[in-house]
Amino acid sequence: MTSHQSTQTMKPATAAKKLGVYLDATPAEFREGVVSRDELKALQADPPEWLRELRRNGPHPRPVVAAKLGISISGLARGGVTEPLTTEQIEELKSAGPEWLQKERATQAEVRKEAVRLKEKRLKEQEKNAERGDQPRPPRS
């Protein structure tokens, strides 16, 4: 008995998310079909012009907009940004430096700082436990 391996495919929305692009801005043939894993790898390895253009100029999906602004996706919502933005719009927003954006950047910086502190604390605890020969504790939920 031979095993027949089928090609795994994904919805265009999933592929767009993995590529970091806004689905509605992709070409119709991309949105209307399915994308195989091999096609996704090919798009990542050698992006066509439409994909390079979308990545360069947008419109960008919320996770990309948030990353470019240095804030969280929740921070975007709190700032009233609900639509995809182009690179130009993101740069204008950065230049304008509205109060909400400054506040969200400060919040994000604190979140990152706290994450580093907690990671260092866990490492120190693991080192202490290793010195004493204790078994590591499972992480708390």
Side-chain angles (χ1 to χ4, degrees), residues 20-69:
V21 295
Y22 182 57
L23 178 63
D24 290 348
T26 61
E29 58 269 11
F30 180 85
R31 288 190 310 268
E32 294 166 0
V34 294
V35 180
S36 71
R37 287 187 182 268
D38 291 338
E39 289 170 330
L40 181 66
K41 286 179 186 175
L43 287 170
Q44 290 170 326
D46 186 23
E49 183 55 35
W50 66 264
L51 182 53
R52 288 194 300 270
E53 180 68 22
L54 275 178
R55 287 177 169 170
R56 187 173 33 253
N57 298 317
H60 302 288
R62 288 179 303 152
V64 174
V65 173
K68 287 179 178 273
L69 291 173

